[in-house]
Amino acid sequence: MKKRMSIALCFMAVLALAGASPAGERPIRIGFSLKTVNNPFVISVKNGAARAAADLGADISITDSQMNSQKQMQDVESFVQQRMDVILIDAMDSQAILPTIDDAVAAGMKIVTEDVRIPDAGDKVLSHIGIDNHAAGAQLARWLEAKLKAAGKRNVIIIAGIPGNEATDSRANGYREVLMNNPNIDVLDIRLAGDKREEGLTVMDDMLQRFAKIDGVICSNDELALGAISAINEAGRADDILVCGFDGNVYALEAIKAGAMAATIDHAPYNMGYLAIETCVKAAKGEPVEKLTVMDVEIVDATNVDAIIAKHAGEN
């Protein structure tokens, strides 16, 4: 009798190690490849994803690509080898990741994307969760144009984000669509950067040395904008230049409240991460999912920053 009980206990232990119950059930396993975790916006996405996984009883494995496309491809390949139920991708480079997605789908994997679309993947991506970055960029550019026009100002710098990243490329295209060839605006320069604060500072420092009159700066994310603000402050020109970011991270909201940043886009990253995991769980269960889920955005400025801060309290 004791021997039989011991065998049964060993069998249950093996099932537990495999993430399964004696009934054959196990948590849904999701591999989430992030382009970086060294960014407040992405940290909020990660927190929302972790909360959803806990609420839904899923196991989530999160990897940091460290802004390296090659590492991201290796991370996704590892998820394939681990036979994840769903692989969720926040792509560093929308083109570079394509062959890896092809291989993953050929191996029977289900692919969902978040924030950064991979347009050329077609039906190989089951679902995408994000915002319309192009439309949001155009919306923010129109806000800046109206503010500058009302003040009789017109000279603008565009600081674009990571080349090859669909999300930041689309935002910059939205900026260009509104501001280029606009009779109310002179675009002095468009500069590619990355996504880090120090990169925004370096670019802005160069712009300040090149141009005596700058009225507005519009950036592809909040970290670039915060870096630009640091350079502007160091140059003693904080009263002259309106700076716009994008994402609505906690530091940007604080900067708007303090009057240092003019505006940003509330991208609701925590909610996006949560919804992405919800979608992955549905996909793993074989339930129908939306091919494209476009989340709403809102411009944040001095008029509504307190309400936006309250709205996202506790998410980070």
Side-chain angles (χ1 to χ4, degrees):
M1 181 67 177
K2 288 182 179 178
K3 185 176 181 181
R4 289 181 179 177
M5 287 181 65
S6 176
I7 291 171
L9 287 171
C10 288
F11 179 65
M12 291 175 70
V14 170
L15 287 171
L17 286 172
S21 72
E25 297 176 353
R26 63 168 178 77
I28 288 166
R29 298 169 62 234
I30 301 167
F32 190 4
S33 171
L34 286 165
K35 57 180 169 284
T36 180
V37 295
N38 188 27
N39 181 291
F41 171 81
V42 181
I43 290 170
S44 189
V45 171
K46 177 173 169 281
N47 290 344
R51 179 71 262 171
D55 289 348
L56 300 171
D59 283 346
I60 181 171
S61 176
I62 297 175
T63 56
D64 174 9
S65 300
Q66 300 171 10
M67 304 301 289
N68 185 307
S69 292
Q70 188 64 37
K71 184 178 185 307
Q72 182 160 57
M73 288 185 272
Q74 293 168 354
D75 291 341
V76 173
E77 288 166 1
S78 177
F79 288 148
V80 174
Q81 293 167 7
Q82 295 171 58
R83 304 306 301 173
M84 292 290 178
D85 294 303
V86 183
I87 299 174
L88 176 61
I89 301 174
D90 169 31
M92 167 65 187
D93 187 312
S94 303
Q95 290 296 316
I97 196 68
L98 274 171
T100 304
I101 289 176
D102 290 342
D103 292 343
V105 172
M109 295 290 101
K110 295 179 177 180
I111 306 294
V112 175
T113 57
E114 169 269 327
D115 189 30
V116 181
R117 294 184 66 188
I118 307 174
D120 292 343
D123 291 338
K124 291 174 183 176
V125 172
L126 290 177
S127 181
H128 175 75
I129 298 89
I131 67 169
D132 186 332
N133 282 284
H134 185 278
Q139 182 182 0
L140 185 62
R142 285 191 292 270
W143 183 95
L144 178 60
E145 179 205 19
K147 291 293 181 182
L148 293 177
K149 183 180 178 182
K153 298 181 177 182
R154 58 186 302 118
N155 297 321
V156 173
I157 301 291
I158 298 173
I159 303 180
I162 308 161
N165 182 279
E166 179 273 336
T168 53
D169 283 350
S170 293
R171 294 169 195 178
N173 287 337
Y175 299 160
R176 291 186 184 96
E177 180 181 275
V178 172
L179 300 174
M180 297 292 290
N181 303 313
N182 187 310
N184 301 316
I185 296 294
D186 289 328
V187 176
L188 302 177
D189 200 351
I190 302 172
R191 181 69 62 86
L192 286 172
D195 77 330
K196 294 181 178 61
R197 199 174 296 196
E198 55 266 31
E199 292 169 313
L201 187 152
T202 299
V203 169
M204 194 66 224
D205 185 59
D206 180 52
M207 296 295 102
L208 289 165
Q209 293 180 50
R210 288 181 56 202
F211 300 106
K213 181 64 174 173
I214 301 171
D215 302 311
V217 179
I218 190 164
C219 304
S220 285
N221 78 1
D222 286 332
E223 290 298 288
L224 292 172
L226 290 164
I229 288 168
S230 293
I232 290 165
N233 288 342
E234 289 175 10
R237 294 171 64 176
D239 294 335
D240 302 330
I241 304 172
L242 295 179
V243 179
C244 296
F246 195 113
D247 284 337
N249 79 37
V250 62
Y251 304 108
L253 298 180
E254 290 171 357
I256 291 172
K257 187 173 176 65
M261 187 183 292
T264 188
I265 289 286
D266 178 22
H267 196 159
Y270 184 95
N271 294 340
M272 186 166 62
Y274 196 103
L275 182 56
I277 295 300
E278 280 189 326
T279 302
C280 288
V281 169
K282 288 180 181 178
K285 291 179 177 179
E287 298 175 4
V289 295
E290 295 290 337
K291 178 68 175 175
L292 176 62
T293 299
V294 180
M295 302 178 65
D296 293 333
V297 300
E298 185 175 359
I299 290 180
V300 188
D301 59 17
T303 66
N304 64 346
V305 64
D306 287 334
I308 298 297
I309 289 171
K311 175 182 174 182
H312 297 302
E315 291 181 353
N316 299 293

